[in-house]
Amino acid sequence: VIRINSQSGKGGVAYILEQNFGYTLPARMREEVGYLIKGISDREHKELTPDEIFDIFDEEYINVFDPIDITDARFKRHSDFKAAGEVEMEVDINVDISGKTYHLRGKGNGRLDAVAEALRQSPYEFEYDFVTYQEHALESQSDSRAAAYVAIADKNGWLYWGVGLHDDIVYASINALVSAINRLNHISHFVK
């Protein structure tokens, strides 16, 4: 039995999310999520059930689409290759930002990089550095959903995590990036 309360460690929360729901958090994300859950447990003066932990995790990190939501993305491989093994992608995206729809284009060394560059073409300033990316299947079946984790850093070095969930790993990755950017827009700072 693992009890999650204000004295619990980051490993306990990560264990609950992995064993009960299939989410394998990156090592650097475990601390942040652990502190979030411990803080809520402390404020509410109670132990949290696995379902309560997941609901908090889901609401805070998974597929956060406000104020930015990419509603469509179309990729194509760029015709010029720089070197053997390198892939250059182009993307056209439709994105809603604070209620306005934009059609943006970007180019990058992969699909996620291309989407990031497309978002930088919007009239909004997205100032962040890409820090890390991780992905895995959420279930073991061939039709499993994909979970992706993205961390970005603001100009002061504060980390913002986003989790993407989708049937397609590419779209799970996009959802994770968008979630991280949206969290950056909503939160002043997190764990460095």
Side-chain angles (χ1 to χ4, degrees):
V1 175
I2 293 181
R3 296 174 187 246
I4 303 300
N5 58 35
S6 63
Q7 302 305 310
S8 299
K10 61 187 176 187
V13 172
Y15 180 84
I16 293 286
L17 290 171
E18 183 171 0
Q19 294 302 310
N20 293 31
F21 305 101
Y23 289 88
T24 306
L25 303 186
R28 292 178 68 187
M29 187 181 190
R30 290 179 192 154
E31 183 176 9
E32 178 180 316
V33 175
Y35 282 127
L36 171 69
I37 300 299
K38 284 171 56 174
I40 291 170
S41 174
D42 192 38
R43 280 193 304 279
E44 295 183 5
H45 304 289
K46 70 173 195 166
E47 292 180 356
L48 299 174
T49 67
D51 287 337
E52 289 172 322
I53 291 167
F54 177 75
D55 289 345
I56 294 164
F57 177 72
D58 183 23
E59 183 177 333
E60 183 68 27
Y61 294 98
I62 301 174
N63 293 349
V64 179
F65 298 139
D66 181 36
I68 302 165
D69 183 9
I70 294 178
T71 58
D72 186 37
R74 291 173 304 279
F75 296 94
K76 68 179 177 179
R77 202 178 281 269
H78 193 268
S79 59
D80 297 328
F81 296 99
K82 294 183 177 186
E86 287 189 20
V87 177
E88 195 165 72
M89 299 296 295
E90 293 181 8
V91 67
D92 291 314
I93 63 173
N94 291 331
V95 59
D96 291 335
I97 304 174
S98 299
K100 294 183 181 180
T101 301
Y102 300 91
H103 178 79
L104 305 171
R105 292 183 179 178
K107 203 183 286 189
N109 65 3
R111 288 178 173 90
L112 192 58
D113 187 44
V115 169
E117 289 306 314
L119 286 172
R120 291 176 204 255
Q121 304 305 312
S122 79
Y124 297 89
E125 289 187 27
F126 296 117
E127 292 186 39
Y128 66 88
D129 291 318
F130 188 85
V131 176
T132 190
Y133 169 81
Q134 184 175 310
E135 64 185 45
H136 65 82
L138 205 55
E139 300 95 8
S140 59
Q141 297 83 6
S142 62
D143 62 346
S144 174
R145 294 171 297 162
Y149 308 84
V150 167
I152 59 175
D154 66 13
K155 61 185 176 182
N156 297 315
W158 297 105
L159 289 186
Y160 299 86
W161 287 93
V163 179
L165 183 64
H166 198 278
D167 293 335
D168 183 308
I169 190 60
V170 171
Y171 292 105
S173 303
I174 292 169
N175 291 349
L177 175 63
V178 168
S179 296
I181 294 170
N182 282 328
R183 291 188 73 247
L184 182 148
N185 286 327
H186 288 296
I187 301 169
S188 60
H189 66 277
F190 254 105
V191 178
K192 218 174 190 183

